[in-house]
Amino acid sequence: MSGIILPGADGVLFPRDRAWHPPANTPGYKSATFRAPRNSLLSLGGTASELTGPTFGHSSLNALDNDLIRNYSQDGTEAIGQRLIVYGQVLDENARAVPNTLVEFWQANAGGRYRHKKEGYLAPLDRNFGGCGRAITDADGFYSFRTIKPGAYPWPNGGNDWRPAHIHFSVFGHAFAQRLITQMYFEGDPMIWQCPIVGTIPDKAAIDQLIARLDRHNTTPMDALAYRFDIVLRGRRSTMFENKLEGN
Amino acid sequence: MLHPVPRLRETPSQTAGPYVHIGMTPNFADIRGVYASDLGASMLTPDTAGERIIITGRVIDGAGVPVGDAVVELWQADSNGSYAAPMGPGSNVAPAFTGWGRQPTDADGVFSFETIKPGPVPGPDGRPMAPHVALWIVARGINIGLQTRLYFADEADANATDWVLGKIADPLRRATLIAHREDGAPPRYVLDIYLQGDRETVFFDV
């Protein structure tokens, strides 16, 4: 195996650029007020406990896990809403594909209503839409799923705040320190720039990374629009040159 | 040193929001029939070696209110101090112990993992770190997942020389990572996680 670094091999990660991420305390997003730690994070640099992480076999998934249009069907019919294919590539900071990693997603229905007992929005539930799904990336780091476009919805934060249409994502990578949760938005949506949760991210270029692009080429004719959302996880500082290891 | 390829920027984090249980523990959220069971709900198999224990506690916010909409993930070594090897695309059989668990907090902010006591893992200095599990906490109001560790109070000697605990000068802060033991069958290790305030847990930039 000389000269090859397998995914999951030891290698310290690039430090996380905390200025690219939202800070803990964000006054515009009030839920953070009592949930934001006030002490500085203790910098560890990474030990085996953070540089390893859980992995999942493709056999742990069911055929409909990546089809939110059908995976909660109660009566054999499909979920209501604008039909979408959402797909993308999971990469690391070294621009290398991250294969065989679990990607999970959850979202509101087409009316902007979540299937949750604490959800109080007046838009109706869709009896055939549960709102969760998952996929494992292929050898080239790609995932895909079928869903309906979630609706925008109002939420109690300021007097009249609305969430733009969005899909929540959870991604594992191959190290526990790569663990990431984020949200995907839709190209061209003017609601993105009015959202206090989007606004927790300081840099507009970072927000732009969360906006999926309409992809006409991968649309299924007479069926579903396609949006592409690539996800970048932290990368390892060890980098391959021929048979020689560079970095540390 | 020059890097061979331009580095991409990590995708920025966003809060998991109030309904993270829909996506990560749907059966707990009463969304049934999509997944047979919630991923990570059960860490043990009959073939898992090691001392059975329960790791439990509450997540509490800066106003002292239990956080009932969180998810806690746990990653740990096996009883020999080894982390599970990555599963390849052809892996159909999960190991007897994957070392990973995921639990929702309930309305009282309580999480609970049935697992095994981990063995010691080598630290960066080559010496063993004290037995510990890594924890990751997400919820509404948490803009980027919080990484911390749980150590075991009955490993006082190992804790005294641990590579990570040694970085925390204040003994009160260090104590925020050490679970106390309650005897029983199985024994319980109990640690509350305080997101903010006088007893705020030490969180890591890993």
Side-chain angles (χ1 to χ4, degrees), chain A residues 46-88:
Chain A
T47 75
S49 304
E50 294 79 32
L51 299 175
T52 56
T55 50
F56 304 90
H58 288 258
S59 62
S60 58
L61 269 54
N62 307 304
L64 291 180
D65 280 4
N66 68 341
D67 187 356
L68 281 71
I69 291 179
R70 289 170 62 207
N71 72 9
Y72 190 76
S73 177
Q74 303 300 300
D75 60 14
T77 66
E78 301 192 330
I80 294 168
Q82 184 188 344
R83 300 160 71 84
L84 300 180
I85 296 160
V86 177
Y87 83 102

Side-chain angles (χ1 to χ4, degrees), chain B residues 106-119:
Chain B
D106 66 16
D108 298 318
V110 174
F111 61 88
S112 184
F113 295 90
E114 292 180 34
T115 183
I116 54 161
K117 187 113 174 258

Side-chain angles (χ1 to χ4, degrees), chain A residues 7-9 13-18 20-26 29 31-50 52-60 62 64-65 71-72 74 91-96 100 102 104-107 114-120 130-134 153 163 168 170 172 174 176-183 185 197-201 206-207 209-210 229-234 236-237 239-241 246-247, chain B residues 1-26 28-40 60-71 73-76 83-94 98-102 107 121-124 129 132-136 138-149 163-165 167-168 173 177 194-197 200-206:
Chain A
L13 297 167
F14 290 112
R16 194 165 233 164
D17 181 355
R18 293 272 166 181
W20 193 248
H21 292 279
N25 191 23
T26 45
Y29 171 39
S31 289
T33 304
F34 292 109
R35 295 182 170 197
R38 297 295 167 87
N39 287 285
S40 301
L41 300 175
L42 178 65
S43 188
L44 284 197
T47 75
S49 304
E50 294 79 32
T52 56
T55 50
F56 304 90
H58 288 258
S59 62
S60 58
N62 307 304
L64 291 180
D65 280 4
N71 72 9
Y72 190 76
Q74 303 300 300
L91 302 156
D92 68 17
E93 289 173 284
N94 297 309
R96 284 185 295 205
N100 305 316
L102 182 67
E104 298 165 294
F105 16 86
W106 65 100
Q107 63 170 83
Y114 285 94
R115 182 172 289 282
H116 193 279
K117 61 177 186 272
K118 287 199 169 174
E119 161 74 286
C132 61
R134 59 189 177 186
Y153 58 84
R163 294 304 324 279
H168 297 264
S170 150
F172 279 79
H174 298 132
F176 205 47
Q178 289 177 304
R179 200 74 181 81
L180 181 72
I181 281 195
T182 193
Q183 300 183 30
Y185 304 97
I197 288 177
V198 173
T200 62
I201 298 173
I207 294 170
Q209 269 187 283
L210 300 183
F229 179 53
D230 292 344
I231 298 167
V232 180
L233 302 179
R234 297 171 69 188
R236 294 179 193 271
R237 285 161 64 187
T239 301
M240 268 296 304
F241 290 85
E246 297 278 343
Chain B
M1 181 180 300
L2 288 174
H3 200 268
V5 289
R7 268 177 69 194
L8 303 177
R9 306 296 296 256
E10 186 187 9
T11 298
S13 174
Q14 290 264 263
T15 179
Y19 305 124
V20 61
H21 292 166
I22 292 175
M24 294 172 67
T25 57
F28 177 81
D30 284 330
I31 296 175
R32 303 192 185 275
V34 181
Y35 309 147
S37 60
D38 288 335
L39 201 64
I60 299 168
D61 76 9
V65 178
V67 175
D69 53 12
V71 164
E73 289 186 2
L74 180 156
W75 172 241
Q76 67 167 89
Y83 286 99
M87 292 178 75
S91 302
N92 288 319
V93 181
T98 67
W100 178 77
R102 170 191 279 172
V121 174
M129 295 187 282
H132 65 275
V133 303
L135 297 176
W136 180 76
V138 293
R140 171 178 67 87
I142 296 175
N143 286 324
I144 182 166
L146 298 171
Q147 300 264 9
T148 186
R149 285 186 179 190
W163 187 80
V164 170
L165 292 175
K167 291 173 174 284
I168 308 169
R173 295 274 290 152
L177 303 185
Y194 289 87
L195 300 180
Q196 189 188 91
E200 184 177 306
T201 297
V202 174
F203 297 106
F204 301 127
D205 193 11
V206 297

